[in-house]
CSV table of all heavy atoms in Angstrom, one decimal:
chain,number,residue,atom,x,y,z
A,1,MET,N,-59.8,61.3,-118.5
A,1,MET,CA,-58.9,62.2,-119.3
A,1,MET,C,-59.8,63.2,-120.2
A,1,MET,O,-60.8,62.7,-120.7
A,1,MET,CB,-58.1,61.3,-120.3
A,1,MET,CG,-57.1,62.1,-121.1
A,1,MET,SD,-56.4,61.0,-122.4
A,1,MET,CE,-55.7,59.7,-121.5
A,2,ALA,N,-59.4,64.4,-120.2
A,2,ALA,CA,-60.1,65.3,-121.0
A,2,ALA,C,-59.8,65.2,-122.5
A,2,ALA,O,-58.6,64.8,-122.8
A,2,ALA,CB,-59.8,66.7,-120.5
A,3,LEU,N,-60.8,65.5,-123.3
A,3,LEU,CA,-60.6,65.4,-124.8
A,3,LEU,C,-61.0,66.8,-125.3
A,3,LEU,O,-61.8,67.5,-124.8
A,3,LEU,CB,-61.6,64.4,-125.3
A,3,LEU,CG,-61.3,62.9,-124.9
A,3,LEU,CD1,-62.4,62.0,-125.5
A,3,LEU,CD2,-60.0,62.4,-125.4
A,4,LYS,N,-60.3,67.1,-126.4
A,4,LYS,CA,-60.6,68.3,-127.1
A,4,LYS,C,-61.3,68.0,-128.4
A,4,LYS,O,-61.0,67.0,-129.1
A,4,LYS,CB,-59.2,69.0,-127.6
A,4,LYS,CG,-59.4,70.3,-128.3
A,4,LYS,CD,-58.0,70.9,-128.6
A,4,LYS,CE,-58.2,72.2,-129.4
A,4,LYS,NZ,-56.8,72.7,-129.8
A,5,VAL,N,-62.4,68.7,-128.6
A,5,VAL,CA,-63.4,68.4,-129.7
A,5,VAL,C,-63.4,69.6,-130.7
A,5,VAL,O,-63.5,70.8,-130.2
A,5,VAL,CB,-64.8,68.1,-129.3
A,5,VAL,CG1,-65.7,67.7,-130.4
A,5,VAL,CG2,-64.8,67.0,-128.1
A,6,SER,N,-63.2,69.4,-132.0
A,6,SER,CA,-63.3,70.4,-132.9
A,6,SER,C,-64.0,70.0,-134.2
A,6,SER,O,-64.0,68.8,-134.5
A,6,SER,CB,-61.9,71.0,-133.2
A,6,SER,OG,-61.1,69.9,-133.8
A,7,VAL,N,-64.4,70.9,-135.0
A,7,VAL,CA,-65.1,70.6,-136.3
A,7,VAL,C,-64.4,71.5,-137.3
A,7,VAL,O,-64.1,72.7,-137.1
A,7,VAL,CB,-66.6,70.8,-136.2
A,7,VAL,CG1,-66.9,72.3,-135.9
A,7,VAL,CG2,-67.2,70.3,-137.5
A,8,ASP,N,-64.1,70.9,-138.5
A,8,ASP,CA,-63.7,71.7,-139.6
A,8,ASP,C,-64.8,72.2,-140.4
A,8,ASP,O,-65.5,71.4,-141.1
A,8,ASP,CB,-62.8,70.7,-140.5
A,8,ASP,CG,-62.1,71.5,-141.6
A,8,ASP,OD1,-62.6,72.5,-142.0
A,8,ASP,OD2,-61.0,71.1,-142.0
A,9,THR,N,-65.1,73.5,-140.3
A,9,THR,CA,-66.3,74.0,-140.9
A,9,THR,C,-66.2,74.1,-142.3
A,9,THR,O,-67.2,74.2,-143.0
A,9,THR,CB,-66.6,75.5,-140.3
A,9,THR,OG1,-65.4,76.3,-140.6
A,9,THR,CG2,-66.8,75.4,-138.8
A,10,GLU,N,-65.0,73.9,-142.9
A,10,GLU,CA,-64.9,73.8,-144.4
A,10,GLU,C,-65.4,72.5,-144.9
A,10,GLU,O,-65.7,72.3,-146.1
A,10,GLU,CB,-63.4,74.0,-144.8
A,10,GLU,CG,-62.9,75.3,-144.4
A,10,GLU,CD,-63.5,76.5,-145.2
A,10,GLU,OE1,-63.7,76.2,-146.5
A,10,GLU,OE2,-63.8,77.6,-144.7
A,11,ILE,N,-65.3,71.4,-144.0
A,11,ILE,CA,-65.6,70.0,-144.4
A,11,ILE,C,-67.1,69.8,-144.1
A,11,ILE,O,-67.7,69.0,-144.8
A,11,ILE,CB,-64.7,69.1,-143.8
A,11,ILE,CG1,-63.3,69.3,-144.3
A,11,ILE,CG2,-65.1,67.7,-144.1
A,11,ILE,CD1,-62.2,68.5,-143.6
A,12,CYS,N,-67.6,70.3,-142.9
A,12,CYS,CA,-69.0,70.0,-142.5
A,12,CYS,C,-70.0,70.4,-143.5
A,12,CYS,O,-69.9,71.5,-143.9
A,12,CYS,CB,-69.2,70.7,-141.1
A,12,CYS,SG,-71.0,70.6,-140.6
A,13,SER,N,-70.8,69.5,-143.9
A,13,SER,CA,-71.8,69.9,-144.9
A,13,SER,C,-73.2,69.7,-144.3
A,13,SER,O,-74.2,69.7,-145.1
A,13,SER,CB,-71.6,69.0,-146.1
A,13,SER,OG,-71.7,67.6,-145.8
A,14,GLY,N,-73.4,69.5,-143.0
A,14,GLY,CA,-74.7,69.6,-142.4
A,14,GLY,C,-75.4,68.3,-142.3
A,14,GLY,O,-76.7,68.4,-142.2
A,15,HIS,N,-74.8,67.2,-142.4
A,15,HIS,CA,-75.5,66.0,-142.2
A,15,HIS,C,-76.2,65.8,-140.9
A,15,HIS,O,-77.3,65.1,-140.9
A,15,HIS,CB,-74.5,64.8,-142.3
A,15,HIS,CG,-73.9,64.6,-143.7
A,15,HIS,ND1,-74.7,64.0,-144.7
A,15,HIS,CD2,-72.7,64.8,-144.2
A,15,HIS,CE1,-73.9,64.0,-145.8
A,15,HIS,NE2,-72.8,64.5,-145.5
A,16,GLY,N,-75.7,66.4,-139.8
A,16,GLY,CA,-76.5,66.5,-138.6
A,16,GLY,C,-76.4,65.3,-137.7
A,16,GLY,O,-77.1,65.2,-136.6
A,17,ARG,N,-75.7,64.3,-138.1
A,17,ARG,CA,-75.6,63.1,-137.3
A,17,ARG,C,-74.9,63.4,-136.0
A,17,ARG,O,-75.3,62.8,-135.0
A,17,ARG,CB,-74.9,61.9,-138.0
A,17,ARG,CG,-75.7,61.6,-139.3
A,17,ARG,CD,-75.0,60.4,-140.0
A,17,ARG,NE,-75.3,59.2,-139.2
A,17,ARG,CZ,-74.9,58.0,-139.5
A,17,ARG,NH1,-74.3,57.8,-140.7
A,17,ARG,NH2,-75.1,57.0,-138.8
A,18,CYS,N,-74.0,64.2,-136.0
A,18,CYS,CA,-73.3,64.5,-134.7
A,18,CYS,C,-74.2,65.0,-133.6
A,18,CYS,O,-74.3,64.5,-132.5
A,18,CYS,CB,-72.1,65.5,-134.9
A,18,CYS,SG,-72.7,67.1,-135.8
A,19,TYR,N,-75.0,66.1,-133.9
A,19,TYR,CA,-75.9,66.6,-132.9
A,19,TYR,C,-77.1,65.9,-132.6
A,19,TYR,O,-77.7,66.1,-131.6
A,19,TYR,CB,-76.2,68.1,-133.2
A,19,TYR,CG,-76.6,68.5,-134.5
A,19,TYR,CD1,-78.0,68.3,-134.9
A,19,TYR,CD2,-75.8,69.1,-135.4
A,19,TYR,CE1,-78.4,68.7,-136.1
A,19,TYR,CE2,-76.2,69.5,-136.7
A,19,TYR,CZ,-77.6,69.2,-137.1
A,19,TYR,OH,-78.0,69.6,-138.3
A,20,VAL,N,-77.5,65.0,-133.6
A,20,VAL,CA,-78.6,64.1,-133.2
A,20,VAL,C,-78.2,63.0,-132.3
A,20,VAL,O,-78.9,62.6,-131.3
A,20,VAL,CB,-79.2,63.5,-134.6
A,20,VAL,CG1,-80.1,62.3,-134.2
A,20,VAL,CG2,-79.9,64.5,-135.4
A,21,LEU,N,-77.0,62.4,-132.5
A,21,LEU,CA,-76.5,61.3,-131.7
A,21,LEU,C,-75.8,61.8,-130.4
A,21,LEU,O,-75.8,61.0,-129.4
A,21,LEU,CB,-75.5,60.5,-132.5
A,21,LEU,CG,-76.1,59.8,-133.7
A,21,LEU,CD1,-75.0,59.2,-134.5
A,21,LEU,CD2,-77.0,58.7,-133.3
A,22,ALA,N,-75.3,63.0,-130.4
A,22,ALA,CA,-74.6,63.5,-129.2
A,22,ALA,C,-74.9,64.9,-129.0
A,22,ALA,O,-74.0,65.8,-129.0
A,22,ALA,CB,-73.1,63.2,-129.4
A,23,PRO,N,-76.1,65.3,-128.6
A,23,PRO,CA,-76.4,66.7,-128.5
A,23,PRO,C,-75.8,67.4,-127.2
A,23,PRO,O,-75.9,68.5,-127.1
A,23,PRO,CB,-78.0,66.6,-128.3
A,23,PRO,CG,-78.3,65.2,-127.8
A,23,PRO,CD,-77.2,64.4,-128.4
A,24,GLU,N,-75.2,66.5,-126.4
A,24,GLU,CA,-74.5,67.0,-125.2
A,24,GLU,C,-73.3,67.8,-125.6
A,24,GLU,O,-72.7,68.6,-124.9
A,24,GLU,CB,-74.2,65.9,-124.2
A,24,GLU,CG,-75.4,65.2,-123.7
A,24,GLU,CD,-75.8,64.1,-124.5
A,24,GLU,OE1,-75.3,63.9,-125.7
A,24,GLU,OE2,-76.7,63.2,-124.1
A,25,VAL,N,-72.7,67.4,-126.8
A,25,VAL,CA,-71.4,67.9,-127.3
A,25,VAL,C,-71.6,68.8,-128.5
A,25,VAL,O,-70.8,69.8,-128.6
A,25,VAL,CB,-70.5,66.8,-127.5
A,25,VAL,CG1,-69.1,67.3,-128.0
A,25,VAL,CG2,-70.3,65.9,-126.2
A,26,PHE,N,-72.5,68.4,-129.3
A,26,PHE,CA,-72.7,69.0,-130.6
A,26,PHE,C,-73.9,69.8,-130.7
A,26,PHE,O,-75.0,69.2,-130.3
A,26,PHE,CB,-72.5,68.0,-131.8
A,26,PHE,CG,-71.2,67.2,-131.7
A,26,PHE,CD1,-71.2,66.0,-131.1
A,26,PHE,CD2,-70.0,67.7,-132.2
A,26,PHE,CE1,-70.0,65.2,-131.0
A,26,PHE,CE2,-68.8,67.0,-132.0
A,26,PHE,CZ,-68.8,65.8,-131.5
A,27,GLY,N,-74.0,71.0,-131.3
A,27,GLY,CA,-75.2,71.6,-131.6
A,27,GLY,C,-75.2,72.0,-133.1
A,27,GLY,O,-74.3,71.7,-133.9
A,28,ALA,N,-76.3,72.7,-133.5
A,28,ALA,CA,-76.5,73.1,-134.9
A,28,ALA,C,-76.6,74.6,-135.0
A,28,ALA,O,-77.2,75.3,-134.2
A,28,ALA,CB,-77.8,72.5,-135.5
A,29,ASP,N,-75.9,75.2,-136.0
A,29,ASP,CA,-76.1,76.6,-136.3
A,29,ASP,C,-77.4,76.8,-137.1
A,29,ASP,O,-78.1,75.9,-137.4
A,29,ASP,CB,-74.9,77.2,-136.9
A,29,ASP,CG,-74.6,76.7,-138.3
A,29,ASP,OD1,-75.5,76.1,-139.0
A,29,ASP,OD2,-73.5,77.0,-138.8
A,30,ASP,N,-77.6,78.0,-137.5
A,30,ASP,CA,-78.9,78.3,-138.2
A,30,ASP,C,-79.1,77.6,-139.5
A,30,ASP,O,-80.2,77.4,-140.0
A,30,ASP,CB,-79.0,79.9,-138.5
A,30,ASP,CG,-79.2,80.6,-137.2
A,30,ASP,OD1,-79.6,79.9,-136.1
A,30,ASP,OD2,-79.0,81.8,-137.2
A,31,SER,N,-78.0,77.2,-140.1
A,31,SER,CA,-78.0,76.4,-141.3
A,31,SER,C,-77.9,74.9,-141.2
A,31,SER,O,-77.7,74.2,-142.2
A,31,SER,CB,-77.0,77.0,-142.3
A,31,SER,OG,-75.7,76.8,-141.8
A,32,GLY,N,-77.9,74.4,-139.9
A,32,GLY,CA,-77.8,73.0,-139.7
A,32,GLY,C,-76.4,72.4,-139.7
A,32,GLY,O,-76.2,71.3,-139.6
A,33,HIS,N,-75.4,73.3,-139.7
A,33,HIS,CA,-74.1,72.9,-139.6
A,33,HIS,C,-73.6,72.7,-138.1
A,33,HIS,O,-74.3,73.3,-137.2
A,33,HIS,CB,-73.1,73.8,-140.3
A,33,HIS,CG,-73.2,73.8,-141.9
A,33,HIS,ND1,-74.3,74.5,-142.4
A,33,HIS,CD2,-72.6,73.1,-142.8
A,33,HIS,CE1,-74.2,74.2,-143.8
A,33,HIS,NE2,-73.2,73.4,-144.0
A,34,CYS,N,-72.6,72.0,-137.9
A,34,CYS,CA,-72.2,71.6,-136.5
A,34,CYS,C,-71.6,72.8,-135.8
A,34,CYS,O,-70.7,73.5,-136.4
A,34,CYS,CB,-71.2,70.5,-136.6
A,34,CYS,SG,-70.5,70.1,-135.0
A,35,GLU,N,-72.0,73.0,-134.6
A,35,GLU,CA,-71.4,73.9,-133.6
A,35,GLU,C,-70.9,73.0,-132.5
A,35,GLU,O,-71.8,72.3,-131.9
A,35,GLU,CB,-72.3,74.9,-133.1
A,35,GLU,CG,-72.5,76.0,-134.1
A,35,GLU,CD,-73.4,77.2,-133.5
A,35,GLU,OE1,-74.1,77.0,-132.5
A,35,GLU,OE2,-73.3,78.2,-134.1
A,36,ILE,N,-69.7,73.2,-132.1
A,36,ILE,CA,-69.2,72.5,-130.9
A,36,ILE,C,-69.7,73.2,-129.6
A,36,ILE,O,-69.5,74.4,-129.4
A,36,ILE,CB,-67.7,72.5,-130.9
A,36,ILE,CG1,-67.1,71.9,-132.1
A,36,ILE,CG2,-67.1,71.7,-129.6
A,36,ILE,CD1,-67.4,70.4,-132.3
A,37,LEU,N,-70.4,72.5,-128.8
A,37,LEU,CA,-70.9,73.0,-127.6
A,37,LEU,C,-70.0,72.9,-126.4
A,37,LEU,O,-69.9,73.8,-125.6
A,37,LEU,CB,-72.2,72.3,-127.1
A,37,LEU,CG,-73.4,72.4,-128.2
A,37,LEU,CD1,-74.6,71.6,-127.6
A,37,LEU,CD2,-73.7,73.8,-128.6
A,38,SER,N,-69.2,71.9,-126.4
A,38,SER,CA,-68.1,71.6,-125.4
A,38,SER,C,-66.8,71.4,-126.1
A,38,SER,O,-66.6,70.2,-126.5
A,38,SER,CB,-68.6,70.5,-124.6
A,38,SER,OG,-69.8,70.7,-123.9
A,39,ALA,N,-66.0,72.3,-126.2
A,39,ALA,CA,-64.7,72.1,-126.9
A,39,ALA,C,-63.7,71.2,-126.1
A,39,ALA,O,-62.9,70.5,-126.7
A,39,ALA,CB,-64.0,73.4,-127.2
A,40,ILE,N,-63.9,71.2,-124.8
A,40,ILE,CA,-63.2,70.3,-123.9
A,40,ILE,C,-64.2,69.5,-123.1
A,40,ILE,O,-65.1,70.0,-122.5
A,40,ILE,CB,-62.2,71.1,-122.9
A,40,ILE,CG1,-61.3,72.0,-123.6
A,40,ILE,CG2,-61.5,70.1,-122.0
A,40,ILE,CD1,-60.2,71.3,-124.4
A,41,VAL,N,-64.0,68.2,-123.2
A,41,VAL,CA,-65.0,67.3,-122.5
A,41,VAL,C,-64.3,66.4,-121.6
A,41,VAL,O,-63.1,66.0,-121.8
A,41,VAL,CB,-65.9,66.5,-123.5
A,41,VAL,CG1,-66.7,67.3,-124.4
A,41,VAL,CG2,-65.1,65.5,-124.3
A,42,ASP,N,-64.9,66.1,-120.4
A,42,ASP,CA,-64.3,65.2,-119.5
A,42,ASP,C,-64.8,63.8,-119.7
A,42,ASP,O,-65.5,63.5,-120.7
A,42,ASP,CB,-64.5,65.6,-118.1
A,42,ASP,CG,-66.1,65.6,-117.8
A,42,ASP,OD1,-66.9,65.1,-118.5
A,42,ASP,OD2,-66.4,66.3,-116.7
A,43,ASP,N,-64.5,62.8,-118.9
A,43,ASP,CA,-64.8,61.5,-119.1
A,43,ASP,C,-66.3,61.3,-119.3
A,43,ASP,O,-66.7,60.3,-120.1
A,43,ASP,CB,-64.4,60.6,-117.9
A,43,ASP,CG,-62.9,60.4,-118.0
A,43,ASP,OD1,-62.2,60.7,-118.9
A,43,ASP,OD2,-62.3,60.0,-116.9
A,44,SER,N,-67.2,62.0,-118.6
A,44,SER,CA,-68.6,61.8,-118.7
A,44,SER,C,-69.2,62.1,-120.1
A,44,SER,O,-70.2,61.5,-120.4
A,44,SER,CB,-69.3,62.8,-117.7
A,44,SER,OG,-69.2,64.1,-118.1
A,45,LEU,N,-68.4,62.8,-120.9
A,45,LEU,CA,-68.9,63.1,-122.3
A,45,LEU,C,-68.0,62.5,-123.3
A,45,LEU,O,-68.2,62.7,-124.6
A,45,LEU,CB,-69.2,64.6,-122.6
A,45,LEU,CG,-70.3,65.2,-121.8
A,45,LEU,CD1,-70.4,66.7,-122.0
A,45,LEU,CD2,-71.6,64.6,-122.1
A,46,ALA,N,-67.0,61.8,-123.0
A,46,ALA,CA,-66.0,61.3,-123.9
A,46,ALA,C,-66.6,60.4,-124.9
A,46,ALA,O,-66.3,60.5,-126.2
A,46,ALA,CB,-64.8,60.6,-123.2
A,47,ASP,N,-67.5,59.5,-124.5
A,47,ASP,CA,-68.1,58.5,-125.4
A,47,ASP,C,-68.9,59.3,-126.4
A,47,ASP,O,-69.0,58.9,-127.6
A,47,ASP,CB,-68.9,57.5,-124.7
A,47,ASP,CG,-68.0,56.5,-123.9
A,47,ASP,OD1,-66.8,56.4,-124.1
A,47,ASP,OD2,-68.6,55.7,-123.1
A,48,LYS,N,-69.7,60.3,-125.9
A,48,LYS,CA,-70.5,61.1,-126.9
A,48,LYS,C,-69.7,61.8,-127.9
A,48,LYS,O,-70.0,61.9,-129.0
A,48,LYS,CB,-71.4,62.1,-126.0
A,48,LYS,CG,-72.4,61.5,-125.2
A,48,LYS,CD,-73.6,61.0,-126.1
A,48,LYS,CE,-74.8,60.5,-125.3
A,48,LYS,NZ,-75.9,60.2,-126.2
A,49,ALA,N,-68.6,62.4,-127.5
A,49,ALA,CA,-67.7,63.1,-128.4
A,49,ALA,C,-67.2,62.0,-129.5
A,49,ALA,O,-67.2,62.4,-130.7
A,49,ALA,CB,-66.5,63.7,-127.7
A,50,ARG,N,-66.9,60.8,-129.1
A,50,ARG,CA,-66.3,59.9,-130.0
A,50,ARG,C,-67.5,59.3,-130.9
A,50,ARG,O,-67.2,59.0,-132.1
A,50,ARG,CB,-65.6,58.7,-129.3
A,50,ARG,CG,-64.4,59.2,-128.6
A,50,ARG,CD,-63.6,58.0,-128.2
A,50,ARG,NE,-62.2,58.4,-127.7
A,50,ARG,CZ,-61.9,58.4,-126.4
A,50,ARG,NH1,-62.7,58.2,-125.5
A,50,ARG,NH2,-60.7,58.9,-126.1
A,51,ILE,N,-68.7,59.2,-130.4
A,51,ILE,CA,-69.8,58.8,-131.2
A,51,ILE,C,-70.0,59.8,-132.3
A,51,ILE,O,-70.2,59.5,-133.5
A,51,ILE,CB,-71.1,58.6,-130.3
A,51,ILE,CG1,-70.9,57.4,-129.5
A,51,ILE,CG2,-72.3,58.6,-131.2
A,51,ILE,CD1,-72.0,57.2,-128.4
A,52,GLY,N,-70.0,61.1,-132.0
A,52,GLY,CA,-70.1,62.1,-133.0
A,52,GLY,C,-69.1,62.1,-134.1
A,52,GLY,O,-69.3,62.2,-135.2
A,53,GLN,N,-67.9,61.9,-133.6
A,53,GLN,CA,-66.7,61.8,-134.5
A,53,GLN,C,-67.0,60.6,-135.5
A,53,GLN,O,-66.7,60.7,-136.7
A,53,GLN,CB,-65.4,61.7,-133.8
A,53,GLN,CG,-64.2,61.6,-134.7
A,53,GLN,CD,-63.0,61.1,-133.9
A,53,GLN,OE1,-63.1,60.5,-132.9
A,53,GLN,NE2,-61.9,61.6,-134.4
A,54,ALA,N,-67.2,59.5,-134.9
A,54,ALA,CA,-67.3,58.3,-135.7
A,54,ALA,C,-68.5,58.2,-136.7
A,54,ALA,O,-68.4,57.6,-137.8
A,54,ALA,CB,-67.5,57.1,-134.7
A,55,ASN,N,-69.5,59.1,-136.5
A,55,ASN,CA,-70.7,59.0,-137.3
A,55,ASN,C,-70.8,60.2,-138.3
A,55,ASN,O,-71.8,60.3,-139.0
A,55,ASN,CB,-72.0,58.9,-136.4
A,55,ASN,CG,-72.1,57.6,-135.8
A,55,ASN,OD1,-72.6,56.7,-136.5
A,55,ASN,ND2,-71.7,57.3,-134.5
A,56,CYS,N,-69.8,61.1,-138.3
A,56,CYS,CA,-69.8,62.1,-139.3
A,56,CYS,C,-69.3,61.6,-140.7
A,56,CYS,O,-68.2,61.1,-140.8
A,56,CYS,CB,-68.9,63.3,-138.9
A,56,CYS,SG,-68.8,64.5,-140.3
A,57,PRO,N,-70.2,61.5,-141.6
A,57,PRO,CA,-69.9,61.0,-142.9
A,57,PRO,C,-68.8,61.7,-143.7
A,57,PRO,O,-68.1,61.2,-144.5
A,57,PRO,CB,-71.2,61.0,-143.8
A,57,PRO,CG,-72.2,61.3,-142.8
A,57,PRO,CD,-71.6,62.0,-141.6
A,58,GLU,N,-68.6,62.9,-143.2
A,58,GLU,CA,-67.5,63.7,-143.9
A,58,GLU,C,-66.2,63.7,-143.2
A,58,GLU,O,-65.2,64.3,-143.7
A,58,GLU,CB,-67.9,65.2,-144.0
A,58,GLU,CG,-69.3,65.4,-144.7
A,58,GLU,CD,-69.3,65.1,-146.1
A,58,GLU,OE1,-68.2,65.0,-146.8
A,58,GLU,OE2,-70.4,64.9,-146.8
A,59,GLY,N,-66.2,63.1,-142.0
A,59,GLY,CA,-64.9,63.1,-141.3
A,59,GLY,C,-64.5,64.5,-140.8
A,59,GLY,O,-63.3,64.8,-140.6
A,60,ALA,N,-65.6,65.4,-140.5
A,60,ALA,CA,-65.3,66.7,-140.1
A,60,ALA,C,-64.8,66.9,-138.7
A,60,ALA,O,-64.4,68.0,-138.4
A,60,ALA,CB,-66.5,67.6,-140.5
A,61,ILE,N,-65.1,66.0,-137.9
A,61,ILE,CA,-64.9,66.1,-136.4
A,61,ILE,C,-63.6,65.5,-136.0
A,61,ILE,O,-63.3,64.3,-136.4
A,61,ILE,CB,-66.1,65.5,-135.7
A,61,ILE,CG1,-67.4,66.3,-136.0
A,61,ILE,CG2,-65.8,65.5,-134.1
A,61,ILE,CD1,-68.7,65.6,-135.5
A,62,THR,N,-62.8,66.2,-135.2
A,62,THR,CA,-61.7,65.7,-134.6
A,62,THR,C,-61.8,65.6,-133.1
A,62,THR,O,-62.2,66.6,-132.5
A,62,THR,CB,-60.5,66.6,-135.0
A,62,THR,OG1,-60.4,66.7,-136.5
A,62,THR,CG2,-59.1,66.0,-134.4
A,63,VAL,N,-61.4,64.5,-132.6
A,63,VAL,CA,-61.3,64.3,-131.1
A,63,VAL,C,-59.9,63.9,-130.7
A,63,VAL,O,-59.4,62.9,-131.2
A,63,VAL,CB,-62.3,63.3,-130.6
A,63,VAL,CG1,-62.3,63.1,-129.1
A,63,VAL,CG2,-63.7,63.7,-131.0
A,64,THR,N,-59.2,64.7,-129.9
A,64,THR,CA,-57.9,64.4,-129.4
A,64,THR,C,-57.7,64.6,-128.0
A,64,THR,O,-58.6,65.2,-127.3
A,64,THR,CB,-56.9,65.3,-130.2
A,64,THR,OG1,-57.2,66.7,-129.9
A,64,THR,CG2,-56.9,65.1,-131.7
A,65,ASP,N,-56.6,64.0,-127.4
A,65,ASP,CA,-56.4,64.3,-126.0
A,65,ASP,C,-56.2,65.8,-125.8
A,65,ASP,O,-55.6,66.5,-126.6
A,65,ASP,CB,-55.1,63.5,-125.6
A,65,ASP,CG,-55.3,62.0,-125.6
A,65,ASP,OD1,-56.5,61.6,-125.6
A,65,ASP,OD2,-54.3,61.3,-125.5
A,66,ALA,N,-56.7,66.3,-124.7
A,66,ALA,CA,-56.7,67.7,-124.4
A,66,ALA,C,-55.3,68.0,-123.7
A,66,ALA,O,-54.7,67.2,-123.2
A,66,ALA,CB,-57.8,68.1,-123.6
B,101,F3S,FE1,-71.4,68.4,-140.0
B,101,F3S,FE2,-70.7,65.8,-139.8
B,101,F3S,FE3,-72.1,66.9,-138.0
B,101,F3S,S1,-71.2,66.9,-141.7
B,101,F3S,S2,-73.3,68.5,-139.0
B,101,F3S,S3,-70.0,67.5,-138.5
B,101,F3S,S4,-72.3,64.9,-138.9
C-alpha cells in the first residue's frame, strides 16, 4: 500500500532525526530542516517513512494512506 509523507514546516525545528534514520525518504535543506524526498512511498519504504514519523520529537511528520 502506498503512503503519503508530509512535513509541517511550521513545526519542524531541525532536529534531523528523520533524515538520519531514514535518508531514503527524508532529506535536509540548507538550514537542516526536513525536506521530503519521496512524498509518496511504496511498501519498500513504508517502514522508513514510519520510523521518521515516530522519531520526530516535534511531531512534524505525517504519514497517511495515499
Ligand atoms: Fe524536523 Fe522532526 Fe526531522 S524536527 S528535521 S521533521 S526529526
Side-chain angles (χ1 to χ4, degrees):
M1 181 191 306
L3 298 175
K4 181 179 179 183
V5 185
S6 61
V7 61
D8 187 330
T9 56
E10 298 291 319
I11 297 175
C12 172
S13 56
H15 289 284
R17 298 188 66 178
C18 56
Y19 50 78
V20 168
L21 293 169
E24 301 88 346
V25 180
F26 305 96
D29 67 11
D30 289 344
S31 59
H33 291 80
C34 175
E35 282 185 337
I36 303 297
L37 302 180
S38 300
I40 303 291
V41 301
D42 62 15
D43 286 344
S44 68
L45 291 178
D47 286 350
K48 288 289 189 175
R50 291 196 172 101
I51 285 170
Q53 178 190 30
N55 284 279
C56 174
E58 305 292 342
I61 296 168
T62 301
V63 177
T64 57
D65 291 345

